[in-house]
């Protein structure tokens, strides 16, 4: 036994990192309850609105925890790994993203099962799959069978046990499903233009997106086992396949809540969405001309983001009859909206906020680097930064060089930045402590490189500066989504059972 | 084993990738084209990182190869083909479309296509149209309902 241990990998010594796995596991835990509900429904052969309503709070809770966990992990990568990346389509990221996608699909299909008694088989299937994907995620992360930047604590023996658990869970679940699902009567009918159809399309796009992520994640492993000529599936593949699927889902989203159940009036809905559509087109044009270099992506992101935000607000405005009823009536209706409605609006707006931030950040990122010595100035877009000094700092378990920079926007002082280069003697590694200067919703992001020698022997440092436009929105969006989940969870309707059918209902208290 | 892996990761991930600006291509358009290519090429010794993000020596070397070839006027495809000849398909983060990868590339769109066709061809079952969207009733409930209807029909006028 060594006297001095290895110490925890320095990049992991961070609060956001420390709490993100527990959030993910709370999410996985919630799906185990959902799975149990699905098994119970299949065994009993009874699957009705009450069942869908019981499953909903567990799905909402699991989904909200997963959303927070994934966001924290992404935020950690953004400020800790030192190059401003927040999502890399790494297998371990995908492992937590797949249960999230299935959970999202389940949340929506369970609404159809609850309100309309339709999609029963599909909802049960998703309820089973959500937990199986959660175990698959754990397996991918912990077994070390995939090559990932997250391979921090892999252990093949644990992998075998997890694989057995997953086989058992999936085997029992799907066998039962194949045996019993045909007994589930499908409920009511609906027209092709109806809220049901939009929710079915939502599920179709989410299922296709999940399948894409699943195959993309496992394909290299399968090819490696079968053909022994390894290949890679990385971010460019996912961007090309997942991207369009998500865009389609986002495009139809605002129409869903506005369409009526059973039979909707598409023309009327489009008329109601005309203001939101105009805002979206204006945002797309603004994105195209204001953001460079990737103008196309900026236009799509800004357009879709604005479409979702304005579309969600349109739905609330319609519900309270804004502009069609006196203000007192609007206020009364606003107060009477169920928490579930607010939750949905928040979550959909959060998705729009995320879409806006993610696309604009990727499309308009500015990156500059320069080898600097104290006194030098680096110009990045409208920002200029001057290296004032470099000092040595002793941390609790590391030694660091800390740079002090004055960042100016035009002639104005924007911030004083102090990025660090930390050396951890116990593990003999160095990490970069990024300094982020928030500029409204955007970030000015600064890293200090290793000390080098210039040709004349004097010390110099490689300094990288990034301007990440609207970067805050990438993380605020998912927080709004999780908040939407929590608000929806607090809806008192979820705590009351569906009225029992067996109870005799006196006719006179049932006004039509 | 784990110790070695950890050190490797630490070395590969922690250092933020940044080239000495003296290596940048003079033409900004060429430099940005090279950087786009960095995003599509895997660092072959790393644990799933692009050459853009890795500080490993091999990644630096590959970045140099790409910059040189961009400067020499090679097309993106020619550069990728060259890298593939040296390191195999493993180096390409966007797998080529081949018979082997067809399922990978076509699956997402096949699912959407099948789904949309199913939705379009779906016919509402006439049996269910009679009940106007209410949850289905059990035989007992149907009997009770019938009784109620009969009662109101016979003794409706009070």
């Amino acid at each position: 036994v060594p006297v001095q241990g290895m110490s925890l990998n320095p990049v992991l010594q961070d609060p956001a990192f420390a709490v993100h796995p527990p959030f993910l596991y709370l999410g996985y835990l919630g799906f185990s309850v959902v799975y149990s509900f699905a098994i119970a429904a299949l065994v009993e052969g009874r699957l009705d609105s009450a069942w869908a309503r019981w499953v909903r709070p567990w799905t909402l809770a699991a989904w909200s925890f997963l959303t927070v966990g994934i966001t924290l992990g992404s935020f950690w990568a953004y400020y800790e790994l030192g190059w401003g990346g927040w999502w890399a389509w790494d297998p371990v990221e995908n492992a937590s993203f797949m249960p999230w996608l299935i959970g999202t699909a389940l949340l929506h299909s369970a609404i159809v099962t609850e309100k309309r008694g339709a999609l029963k088989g599909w909802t049960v299937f998703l309820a089973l799959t959500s937990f199986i994907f959660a175990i698959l995620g754990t397996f991918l992360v912990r077994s070390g069978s995939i090559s990932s930047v997250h391979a921090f604590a892999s252990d093949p023996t644990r992998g075998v046990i997890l694989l057995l658990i997953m086989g058992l869970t999936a085997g029992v679940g799907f066998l039962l499903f194949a045996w019993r699902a045909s007994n589930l009567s499908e409920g009511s009918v609906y027209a092709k233009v109806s809220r049901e159809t939009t929710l079915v399309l939502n599920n179709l796009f989410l299922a296709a997106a999940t399948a894409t992520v699943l195959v993309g994640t496992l394909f290299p492993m399968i090819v490696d086992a079968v053909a022994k000529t390894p290949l890679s599936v990385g971010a460019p593949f996912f961007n090309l396949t997942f991207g369009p699927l998500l865009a389609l889902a986002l495009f139809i989203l605002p129409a869903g809540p506005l369409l009526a159940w059973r039979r909707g009036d598409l023309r009327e809905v489009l008329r109601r969405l005309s203001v939101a559509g105009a805002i979206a087109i204006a945002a797309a044009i603004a994105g195209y001309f204001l953001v460079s270099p990737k103008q196309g992506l900026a236009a799509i992101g800004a357009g879709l983001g604005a479409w979702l935000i304005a579309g969600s607000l349109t739905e609330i405005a319609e519900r309270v009859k804004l502009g069609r009823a006196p203000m007192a009536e609007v206020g009364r209706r606003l107060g009477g909206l169920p928490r579930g409605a607010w939750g949905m609006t928040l979550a959909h707006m959060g998705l729009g906020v995320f879409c806006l931030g993610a696309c604009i950040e990727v499309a308009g990122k500015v990156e500059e680097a320069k080898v600097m010595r104290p006194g030098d100035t680096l110009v990045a877009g409208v920002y200029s930064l001057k290296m004032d000094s470099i000092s040595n700092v002793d941390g609790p378990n590391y030694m660091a060089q800390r740079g002090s920079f004055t960042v100016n926007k035009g002639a104005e002082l924007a911030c004083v930045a102090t990025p660090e280069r930390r050396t951890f003697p116990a593990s003999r590694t160095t990490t970069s402590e990024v300094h982020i200067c928030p500029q409204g919703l955007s970030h000015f992001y600064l890293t200090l490189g290793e000390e080098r020698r210039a040709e004349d022997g004097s010390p110099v440092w490689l300094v990288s500066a990034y301007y990440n436009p609207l970067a805050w929105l990438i993380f605020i969006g998912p927080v709004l989504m999780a908040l939407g989940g929590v608000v929806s969870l607090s809806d008192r309707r979820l705590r009351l059972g569906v009225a029992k059918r067996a109870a005799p209902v006196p006719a006179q208290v049932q006004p039509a | 084993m784990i110790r070695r892996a950890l050190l490797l990761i630490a070395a590969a991930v922690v250092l933020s990738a940044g080239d000495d600006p003296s290596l940048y291509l003079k033409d900004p358009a060429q430099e940005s084209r090279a950087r786009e290519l960095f995003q599509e090429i895997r660092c072959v010794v790393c644990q799933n990182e692009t050459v853009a993000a890795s500080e490993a020596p091999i990644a630096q070397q590959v970045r140099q190869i790409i910059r040189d070839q961009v400067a020499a006027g090679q097309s993106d495809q020619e550069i990728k083909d060259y890298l593939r000849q040296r390191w195999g398909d493993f180096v390409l983060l966007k797998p080529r479309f081949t018979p082997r990868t067809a399922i990978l590339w076509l699956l997402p769109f096949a699912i959407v296509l099948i789904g949309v066709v199913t939705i379009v061809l779906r016919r509402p079952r006439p049996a269910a149209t009679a009940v106007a969207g209410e949850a289905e009733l059990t035989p007992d409930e149907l009997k009770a309902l019938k009784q109620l209807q009969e009662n109101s029909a016979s003794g409706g006028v009070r």
Side-chain angles (χ1 to χ4, degrees), chain A residues 83 149, chain B residues 12-13 41-43 46-51 53-54 93:
Chain A
W83 51 280
V149 283
Chain B
V13 176
I41 303 300
R42 184 182 191 137
C43 161
C46 307
Q47 289 274 340
N48 193 19
E49 273 191 294
T50 63
V51 294
S54 173
L93 284 170

Side-chain angles (χ1 to χ4, degrees), chain A residues 294-314:
Chain A
K294 294 179 184 162
Q295 293 174 300
L297 178 67
I300 292 171
L304 275 177
W307 173 238
L308 289 195
I309 297 168
S312 306
L313 292 175
T314 304

Side-chain angles (χ1 to χ4, degrees), chain B residues 5-52:
Chain B
L6 272 175
L7 283 175
L8 191 77
I9 294 155
V13 176
V14 177
L15 305 177
S16 66
D19 280 324
D20 196 313
S22 63
L23 298 174
Y24 291 1
L25 294 172
K26 295 285 166 286
D27 180 354
Q30 285 190 339
E31 174 66 21
S32 74
R33 226 188 90 205
R35 288 190 194 182
E36 286 294 312
L37 275 168
F38 296 167
Q39 303 282 350
E40 293 193 24
I41 303 300
R42 184 182 191 137
C43 161
V44 285
V45 300
C46 307
Q47 289 274 340
N48 193 19
E49 273 191 294
T50 63
V51 294

Side-chain angles (χ1 to χ4, degrees), chain A residues 6 9 11 81-83 89-91 116 120 147-149 151-152 154 185-192 197 200-201 204-205 207-208 211-212 215-216 219 223 227 229-237 240-241 244-245 262 294 367 369-371 421 427-432 447 450 452 462 464 466 501-502, chain B residues 2-3 5-7 9-11 13-21 24 35-36 39-40 42 46-50 53 55 60 88-95 100-105 107-109 111-116 119-126 128-129 131-138 141:
Chain A
M6 274 278 291
N9 188 335
V11 288
L81 296 187
W83 51 280
W89 294 107
D90 185 80
R116 308 293 315 148
K120 286 179 181 173
S147 161
S148 155
V149 283
F152 293 120
S154 14
S185 63
E186 279 301 320
S188 55
V189 291
Y190 49 91
K192 292 212 171 79
T197 303
V200 168
L201 281 174
L204 173 63
F205 294 136
T212 307
V215 175
F219 200 72
V223 167
T229 50
L231 60 73
S232 300
V233 179
F237 167 81
L240 269 176
T241 49
L245 288 171
R262 284 167 53 72
K294 294 179 184 162
E367 181 189 348
K370 189 176 177 181
V371 176
R421 190 84 186 169
S427 52
R428 282 170 295 161
T429 51
T430 54
T431 68
S432 178
T447 64
E450 257 175 307
R452 309 179 180 181
L462 179 67
S464 302
Y466 302 81
R501 287 200 206 124
Chain B
I2 291 173
R3 185 194 172 87
L6 272 175
L7 283 175
I9 294 155
V13 176
V14 177
L15 305 177
S16 66
D19 280 324
D20 196 313
Y24 291 1
R35 288 190 194 182
E36 286 294 312
Q39 303 282 350
E40 293 193 24
R42 184 182 191 137
C46 307
Q47 289 274 340
N48 193 19
E49 273 191 294
T50 63
E55 188 84 342
Q60 262 171 342
D89 276 311
F90 188 65
V91 80
L92 302 178
L93 284 170
K94 186 166 87 188
R100 200 165 60 143
T101 60
I103 180 164
L104 178 72
W105 279 107
L107 182 85
F109 306 103
I111 291 176
V112 170
L113 197 69
I114 293 168
V116 168
I119 291 169
V120 170
L121 293 185
R122 186 185 66 87
R123 263 171 233 281
R125 278 152 305 153
T129 39
V131 190
E134 285 308 309
E136 62 274 34
L137 299 178
T138 63
E141 286 167 336

Side-chain angles (χ1 to χ4, degrees), chain A residues 290-361:
Chain A
L290 294 179
V291 181
S292 62
K294 294 179 184 162
Q295 293 174 300
L297 178 67
I300 292 171
L304 275 177
W307 173 238
L308 289 195
I309 297 168
S312 306
L313 292 175
T314 304
E315 199 263 336
I316 287 281
E318 287 292 330
R319 278 180 92 137
V320 301
K321 301 202 166 171
L322 184 70
R324 287 184 288 134
M327 282 319 279
E329 159 90 359
V330 169
R332 193 183 56 72
R333 282 172 167 267
L334 213 52
L337 279 182
R339 297 263 180 94
W342 286 115
M344 178 190 75
T345 307
L346 257 180
H348 286 171
M349 281 176 62
L351 188 59
V353 167
F354 166 79
C355 174
L356 195 67
C359 294
I360 300 290
E361 197 262 358

Side-chain angles (χ1 to χ4, degrees), chain A residues 164-242:
Chain A
L164 282 174
I165 295 174
M166 185 172 78
L168 199 68
T169 317
V172 170
F174 290 140
L175 261 178
L176 208 55
F177 180 77
W179 178 33
R180 305 281 289 193
S182 53
N183 294 347
L184 300 173
S185 63
E186 279 301 320
S188 55
V189 291
Y190 49 91
K192 292 212 171 79
V193 178
S194 62
R195 193 183 296 181
E196 284 93 327
T197 303
T198 59
L199 287 167
V200 168
L201 281 174
N202 151 307
N203 268 250
L204 173 63
F205 294 136
L206 283 171
T210 313
T212 307
V213 178
L214 178 68
V215 175
T217 306
L218 298 183
F219 200 72
M221 209 162 100
I222 296 165
V223 167
D224 204 26
V226 175
K228 298 285 171 208
T229 50
L231 60 73
S232 300
V233 179
F237 167 81
F238 292 105
N239 293 343
L240 269 176
T241 49
F242 184 89

